[in-house]
Amino acid sequence: RYFDDNPRPRPESYRADVELANGSDRDRTRLYQDLRAACESGWNFSSRWFSDTQYLASIHTTEIIPVDLNSLLHHLETMLANAYTSVGNEAQATAFTEKAANRKSALLQYCWDAKEGFFVDYDFIKRKPTGVLSLAGLYPLYFDLANNKQAVAVAKVVDRDFLKPGGVVSTLNNTGQQWDAPNGWAPLQWITI
């Protein structure tokens, strides 16, 4: 998960963070950590981190298992296993192969939403998918973690819901946040294609 253990406002957005905290009934330290964690993700800000898709103060990034991050980590673990194999360190190669296999299993268990036919982030506090569809759900396809049935289902959702004139939108939620509809971002266009 994305996490930041600094319980203070971001220096670059100090005033905005303090004003948000002042207008919220949330614990300030948790709010600041969730804001910082969203920034670490690169998706600052997006409704994929909000428990209420319209309100930034409902951000709960640190409670979410992100499907894109875990796909990237699986890829890294696989690459490290291959690198250790290439230099003859079978113990480390085996360790990273096991880590990658465990991560893939967990990702498929927790981040595949069969009802939606899409990969999603998982709220480990509520023990359920977040319910926000975003193009982060394409990372398991890009890194070859999805099976063919899942890939076909995801492609249908992308074609039906995400594809707009000019490209794909980052999420289906129009919130005014920069990583939400109607915006699309170049790296996500590339991952999707």
Side-chain angles (χ1 to χ4, degrees):
R1 66 182 168 139
Y2 294 107
F3 191 83
D4 191 307
D5 58 4
N6 189 338
R8 292 186 283 282
R10 297 167 294 149
E12 71 276 12
S13 297
Y14 187 89
R15 182 177 181 174
D17 288 0
V18 170
E19 287 174 356
L20 183 66
N22 287 342
S24 169
D25 59 357
R26 289 195 53 205
D27 174 67
R28 287 175 179 273
T29 59
R30 290 297 309 272
L31 177 61
Y32 295 147
Q33 287 176 312
D34 286 323
L35 290 167
R36 287 172 168 271
C39 292
E40 290 299 318
S41 77
W43 285 63
N44 54 308
F45 289 107
S46 169
S47 60
R48 85 181 267 216
W49 308 127
F50 304 170
S51 52
D52 179 327
T53 59
Q54 296 299 314
Y55 298 102
L56 178 60
S58 72
I59 194 166
H60 64 128
T61 317
T62 61
E63 299 174 353
I64 294 173
I65 302 297
V67 64
D68 53 348
L69 176 63
N70 281 279
S71 297
L72 287 161
L73 288 171
H74 174 272
H75 179 69
L76 176 61
E77 291 160 345
T78 301
M79 297 305 294
L80 287 170
N82 293 340
Y84 279 120
T85 296
S86 73
V87 297
N89 187 336
E90 289 307 315
Q92 286 290 9
T94 299
F96 278 99
T97 298
E98 288 174 9
K99 288 176 189 286
N102 290 338
R103 189 174 305 276
K104 178 178 179 178
S105 176
L107 186 139
L108 294 175
Q109 178 181 350
Y110 294 106
C111 295
W112 173 247
D113 187 333
K115 180 180 162 214
E116 294 289 346
F118 210 77
F119 285 96
V120 297
D121 298 321
Y122 185 80
D123 183 326
F124 69 88
I125 301 297
K126 293 180 181 174
R127 298 179 182 227
K128 65 179 189 175
T130 62
V132 177
L133 299 186
S134 77
L135 289 183
L138 278 285
Y139 279 70
L141 279 69
Y142 183 81
F143 288 111
D144 202 25
L145 296 167
N147 63 38
N148 287 341
K149 185 177 178 182
Q150 291 166 328
V152 167
V154 168
K156 285 180 183 176
V157 173
V158 169
D159 188 50
R160 181 188 71 221
D161 300 332
F162 285 88
L163 186 59
K164 308 294 181 197
V168 288
V169 293
S170 300
T171 73
L172 302 178
N173 302 322
N174 194 327
T175 64
Q177 299 295 335
Q178 75 173 5
W179 279 88
D180 283 331
N183 299 326
W185 297 94
L188 296 177
Q189 306 295 317
W190 189 65
I191 292 282
T192 301
I193 292 166

